[in-house]
Amino acid sequence: MAREIVVVRDGRESRFGFERVSREKLYGTRRRVAVDENGEECRLAELTRDGQLLLPGSTAQLYVDQGFDVVERDSLQAVDVTGRRLEAVEATLGIAQELTGPVPAERVLDCETSAVYQLDPAAVDEDLLARLDAGEIFETRFSFRGGYALSPLFLVKNEHGLFGLVADEVGFEPLRRDVAPAASEEDDPFAADDLDFSMF
Amino acid sequence: MPRYIKLADAQRRDTQVIVEGAERDRGYTYIGPDGAPIRYAKLILSPQGHDFAELSGTFGDAEAVAEALIAGDPEVDPSLVGREVGPSDRVYVKADGTILLRARYVRVVIDPSGEEVSREPFVDVMQTVNDETPLPWTGRLLPVDDVVRRFVISRTVQLRHVDGLTFDFLKGIAEALAAERKMLLVGAGAKGAEPLVFQTNGSRYRGFLEGRVTGDGGVLVLLHLSNLELKAVGA
């Protein structure tokens, strides 16, 4: 059975099939390709400082400990900034996630979208659909593969269809003008000075 | 070092402001099973001369290569395998495995079905956002609700002031946009019709300028960037 995005709102469940939307699928791609004197495409490789030529596929990326022993991925532990170990979270696909909202558009703008899915309603709550039709935006949590954190997923609808926006929250500090305090005579070491020009 | 861009407001006054990206923090790091720190490493598996193509040249067909693999370890260079790559340079390699000394670039255009539609000499895509030429005030204001339902915002940068005057400049923009709850379409070029390109050959974006007033005397001026419309695949 195909995996679905499942949400629940006011006890009513909605299920969606999904397909990734990307620039490649909508517009195609433009690539910059290096070619040799015969017009043949060349591959990108690495040349180490001691002259070893490393072709694509000839390196491995992995985690090592301080003794340079390999640490397998399934034995890694995630910790937050305080050093507290985090519990792994499962993928949300097929598991009903609470839907919140409607949320204001600014909530979407508080995030950068990392993936877009075109949603195909398999079984959808009519009230939710009507609200999405009216332009309302709803939010749930999402993880495609599982990991240590869930991402926001926004449901939005426009004339082209229904979409799920997977996002990363970003935060910015508001700008404030640091106004210098008004000068007072008490703070001014020269306040008592006479404007005596005769010394020049 | 802060990065500056030049921006004009509705009164066609322009000034330099700082552009800053969001800090990306996934909120966690990895440690080893014993709690000790770990790091990501890139190791050599097989340097040139030890891959299948090279071994085929040495030993013959796939069966001969297989026998050679059983008899010994020709795919392994014990002096290199497992060594950390360290500093390296990117080079292009020709089909015969030699390094390309003089690269010529072509632009290959592939349509959404995966078909190549053109191949022509590559021309650099020049940077259009800089600290000299102001991004004009296009006057094209779009409701916030429309923007988030029409475009995919994949990147957001904040515009910051450098002094009291530029704070007032940005505050004026933020208040004007927030009052109408609209976003300004931002583009490069004299009329703002060109895409925003922040570095040569970088991604092309359309920009949407948002202003917010936070209520405690603070303001936010955010430039949201998009290179994707919210459209269905195959529509």
Side-chain angles (χ1 to χ4, degrees):
Chain A
M1 185 176 142
R3 294 189 293 178
E4 294 176 322
I5 292 172
V6 186
V7 296
V8 60
R9 177 174 165 269
D10 296 336
R12 295 189 295 274
E13 193 173 278
S14 299
R15 312 178 74 88
F16 305 94
F18 62 96
E19 179 185 359
R20 181 89 181 245
V21 178
S22 64
R23 277 190 58 81
E24 290 73 22
K25 289 180 179 176
L26 282 185
Y27 313 119
T29 55
R30 283 177 296 192
R31 292 191 299 130
R32 190 175 82 137
V33 174
V35 296
D36 64 14
E37 57 276 12
N38 300 317
E40 296 289 328
E41 283 192 27
C42 296
R43 291 184 292 169
L44 198 57
E46 287 181 86
L47 184 64
T48 64
R49 296 291 156 86
D50 62 350
Q52 297 298 328
L53 186 61
L54 304 174
L55 299 173
S58 60
T59 60
Q61 294 182 343
L62 33 74
Y63 287 100
V64 295
D65 62 17
Q66 290 170 309
F68 208 65
D69 287 325
V70 173
V71 180
E72 299 294 342
R73 281 183 179 272
D74 58 6
S75 67
L76 296 174
Q77 298 280 330
V79 292
D80 66 14
V81 289
T82 66
R84 185 175 59 91
R85 294 192 182 213
L86 302 177
E87 292 296 321
V89 295
E90 292 184 8
T92 57
L93 295 177
I95 302 170
Q97 304 294 311
E98 194 69 34
L99 200 61
T100 57
V103 296
E106 284 79 1
R107 171 67 186 138
V108 181
L109 295 175
D110 285 336
C111 303
E112 291 177 338
T113 299
S114 56
V116 180
Y117 295 111
Q118 179 179 325
L119 302 183
D120 177 23
V124 64
D125 167 29
E126 289 301 322
D127 180 61
L128 172 63
L129 199 55
R131 285 171 167 267
L132 289 165
D133 276 332
E136 293 185 354
I137 301 169
F138 290 85
E139 179 176 353
T140 186
R141 308 298 284 174
F142 180 81
S143 175
F144 191 90
R145 292 190 180 84
Y148 290 94
L150 298 176
S151 300
L153 172 78
F154 298 103
L155 300 189
V156 298
K157 194 169 188 297
N158 64 18
E159 70 271 27
H160 301 292
L162 179 59
F163 300 91
L165 311 179
V166 183
D168 297 318
E169 295 190 55
V170 292
F172 293 101
E173 280 293 311
L175 308 180
R176 286 189 180 79
R177 183 179 170 188
D178 298 322
V179 181
S184 72
E185 287 196 4
E186 288 179 11
D187 299 331
D188 185 356
F190 303 104
D193 284 2
D194 291 329
L195 293 176
D196 180 7
F197 281 71
S198 62
M199 63 184 289
F200 297 127
Chain B
M1 185 176 165
R3 178 170 185 170
Y4 294 89
I5 65 169
K6 212 165 191 183
L7 178 73
D9 68 4
Q11 288 78 45
R12 297 188 178 181
R13 300 174 302 177
D14 59 66
T15 189
Q16 282 187 349
V17 294
I18 294 172
V19 59
E20 279 183 354
E23 285 187 16
R24 294 186 169 275
D25 179 12
R26 64 181 176 178
Y28 61 88
T29 55
Y30 286 120
I31 58 172
D34 55 356
I38 57 167
R39 66 184 176 87
Y40 211 47
K42 189 173 184 180
L43 309 182
I44 295 174
L45 278 179
S46 60
Q48 189 183 30
H50 297 266
D51 60 1
F52 181 76
E54 293 283 345
L55 295 177
S56 298
T58 305
F59 296 104
D61 61 14
E63 200 162 318
V65 172
E67 285 177 13
L69 293 178
I70 293 167
D73 295 314
E75 80 281 19
V76 174
D77 181 340
S79 68
L80 290 171
V81 69
R83 199 189 79 179
E84 198 158 8
V85 172
S88 61
D89 296 305
R90 281 158 40 115
V91 294
Y92 285 104
V93 177
K94 297 197 271 188
D96 63 5
T98 58
I99 294 174
L100 180 67
L101 298 178
R102 192 172 179 184
R104 183 166 63 87
Y105 294 100
V106 295
R107 188 181 75 157
V108 180
V109 179
I110 297 168
D111 71 13
S113 70
E115 291 292 315
E116 182 177 318
V117 292
S118 69
R119 182 174 286 243
E120 53 199 34
F122 184 87
V123 178
D124 279 335
V125 177
M126 301 310 292
Q127 178 183 9
T128 62
V129 183
N130 55 53
D131 58 1
E132 292 180 358
T133 310
L135 298 174
W137 186 269
T138 63
R140 291 192 61 185
L141 298 174
L142 305 171
V144 174
D145 295 300
D146 286 359
V147 171
V148 299
R149 287 188 294 114
R150 285 178 59 192
F151 305 101
V152 178
I153 304 297
S154 56
R155 207 173 155 202
T156 297
V157 294
Q158 181 179 26
L159 305 187
R160 299 188 65 88
H161 60 290
V162 294
D163 53 28
L165 288 176
T166 47
F167 174 82
D168 287 344
F169 175 85
L170 291 175
K171 185 167 182 264
I173 290 175
E175 288 173 343
L177 293 173
E180 291 198 58
R181 204 163 170 265
K182 287 186 175 175
M183 298 170 81
L184 176 78
L185 179 66
V186 179
K191 295 181 178 176
E194 296 173 23
L196 303 177
V197 182
F198 287 81
Q199 60 189 41
T200 301
N201 294 329
S203 299
R204 306 170 191 212
Y205 293 103
R206 293 289 175 199
F208 302 92
L209 196 64
E210 182 199 9
R212 292 191 202 180
V213 179
T214 58
D216 53 354
V219 295
L220 280 167
V221 182
L222 303 175
L223 180 59
H224 301 281
L225 303 171
S226 175
N227 61 6
L228 183 65
E229 295 161 286
L230 210 44
K231 284 185 173 176
V233 174

